[in-house]
Amino acid sequence: MHTKSLHQKVALVTGGASGIGLAIAEKLYQAGAHLAIADIDADKAKSALETIPEREGQKKAAIQADLSDVESIRRMVAQCEADIGAVDILVNNAGFQHVAPIEACEPAIFQKLIDVMLVGPFVATQAVFAQMKERGWGRIINISSINGKIGAPYKAGYCSAKHGIIGLTRVTAMEAVNSGVTCNAICPGYVDTPLVRNQLADLAKSYQLAEEEVLEEVILRHVPQHRLLEASEVGDMAVFLASEQAAAITGQAINVSGGYVMH
Ligand SMILES: NC(=O)c1ccc[n+]([C@@H]2O[C@H](COP(=O)([O-])OP(=O)(O)OC[C@H]3O[C@@H](n4cnc5c(N)ncnc54)[C@H](O)[C@@H]3O)[C@@H](O)[C@H]2O)c1
């Protein structure tokens, strides 16, 4: 894969202090981009950034930002510009999971899932969109999920946000058409990250299974490749979508799911 095209590009990855976001950040930096990691947890963002070996001529920055807060998102984009340059590649990745049956799901938690994983990406897109179009180049990569294409019991807010962001991806792609800016979503299957590990106990409760049965019965049983994915495999897809070679790909929702979902 040619990655030269990411040289001197500026990448901003939200939720970049952990899991998939960190893997995407590492891969974009290795591919030559300047890198800003934004996360709600400032210390975690700083230490995550330090785990990525320095490369000559490439800048790195850690930014504190809460993706459920409009002003915080606008400050994040402005700080990225001040620290390492105007955003060329925006990765809307920050997210969290909440497992509960509809009857037991607090509306406030449903709202928070939507705020962080749908409204936040919209506001971040809004904050970078005009300058990307003016400069004639940009990549917006939204991290959806296979739960953006299929429902899963006990994940009402999460599935709603992840379906919604595919709609946002398509509209963004349409509004950017012929401007040099593309927008795509990646739909990962189950990836081995804290987000997946931390939900096993709640899934066990909801499905009335023993915790050790959940991985096999609720998750792997549906995955043709029968494995949890590595975060770096999602990172590779993000680098490709950010590259010059992906210029014709826009408005897509691409599964990286070990065959779990095929549409
Ligand atoms: N792990 C999976 O199997 C999987 C599958 C499909 C989609 N995803 C999506 O990938 C993304 C990353 O998930 P992950 O598995 O790496 O999770 P993770 O928990 O390892 O990382 C999520 C990061 O987002 C940050 N974050 C949470 N709320 C935030 C907020 N309000 N503002 C800023 N940062 C915030 C967290 O601090 C954390 O660093 C999420 O959008 C998730 O829905 C994950």
Side-chain angles (χ1 to χ4, degrees):
M1 191 181 298
H2 297 277
T3 50
K4 266 201 175 129
S5 54
L6 298 195
H7 275 290
Q8 299 307 319
K9 300 294 189 206
V10 170
L12 169 61
V13 183
T14 72
S18 173
I20 291 173
L22 179 54
I24 292 173
E26 266 172 344
K27 292 273 179 180
L28 290 173
Y29 189 70
Q30 283 162 8
H34 303 298
L35 172 67
I37 282 181
D39 206 279
I40 195 163
D41 185 331
D43 292 339
K44 207 166 72 164
K46 256 187 219 143
S47 24
L49 201 66
E50 280 162 15
T51 66
I52 303 178
E54 201 87 37
R55 289 165 58 98
E56 216 186 307
Q58 283 178 246
K59 297 179 240 175
K60 291 196 288 181
I63 299 172
Q64 197 282 332
D66 178 355
L67 266 288
S68 67
D69 177 333
V70 172
E71 286 314 316
S72 176
I73 295 167
R74 292 180 180 154
R75 278 197 302 274
M76 166 187 80
V77 170
Q79 196 183 328
C80 178
E81 182 161 358
D83 290 352
I84 63 167
V87 180
D88 298 298
I89 302 163
L90 169 67
V91 184
N92 282 313
N93 164 82
F96 69 103
Q97 181 60 278
H98 181 74
V99 177
I102 286 174
E103 300 90 315
C105 181
E106 287 296 330
I109 292 178
F110 186 97
Q111 182 70 57
K112 184 86 176 177
L113 288 153
I114 301 289
D115 284 346
V116 174
M117 294 189 287
L118 184 54
V119 183
F122 166 73
V123 175
T125 298
Q126 209 175 39
V128 300
F129 209 33
Q131 62 83 8
M132 279 184 180
K133 287 194 278 189
E134 266 162 41
R135 295 191 302 137
W137 200 92
R139 297 285 186 266
I140 299 171
I141 300 169
N142 293 325
I143 305 306
S144 176
S145 166
I146 49 159
N147 289 145
K149 295 191 174 176
I150 57 171
Y154 318 126
K155 297 182 182 176
Y158 187 84
C159 285
S160 301
K162 294 305 189 183
H163 276 71
I165 201 166
I166 293 178
L168 174 64
T169 300
R170 292 175 177 149
V171 173
T172 308
M174 295 292 276
E175 291 194 18
V177 86
N178 293 331
S179 69
V181 179
T182 66
C183 180
N184 291 288
I186 301 177
C187 301
Y190 285 98
V191 183
D192 196 354
T193 71
L195 180 144
V196 162
R197 294 280 170 190
N198 295 340
Q199 67 182 277
L200 296 180
D202 288 338
L203 284 172
K205 218 185 293 160
S206 296
Y207 281 92
Q208 299 184 320
L209 288 169
E211 205 174 316
E212 51 284 5
E213 289 173 315
V214 169
L215 193 60
E216 185 54 41
E217 293 301 319
V218 180
I219 296 180
L220 296 182
R221 171 208 271 266
H222 305 285
V223 183
Q225 288 188 351
H226 208 79
R227 65 184 180 98
L228 288 179
L229 304 175
E230 298 295 327
S232 62
E233 297 179 276
V234 183
D236 286 328
M237 177 56 75
V239 171
F240 174 63
L241 290 174
S243 73
E244 243 12 272
Q245 286 69 27
I249 301 171
T250 196
Q252 303 305 304
I254 299 170
N255 305 328
V256 177
S257 71
Y260 190 155
V261 171
M262 298 195 178
H263 60 85

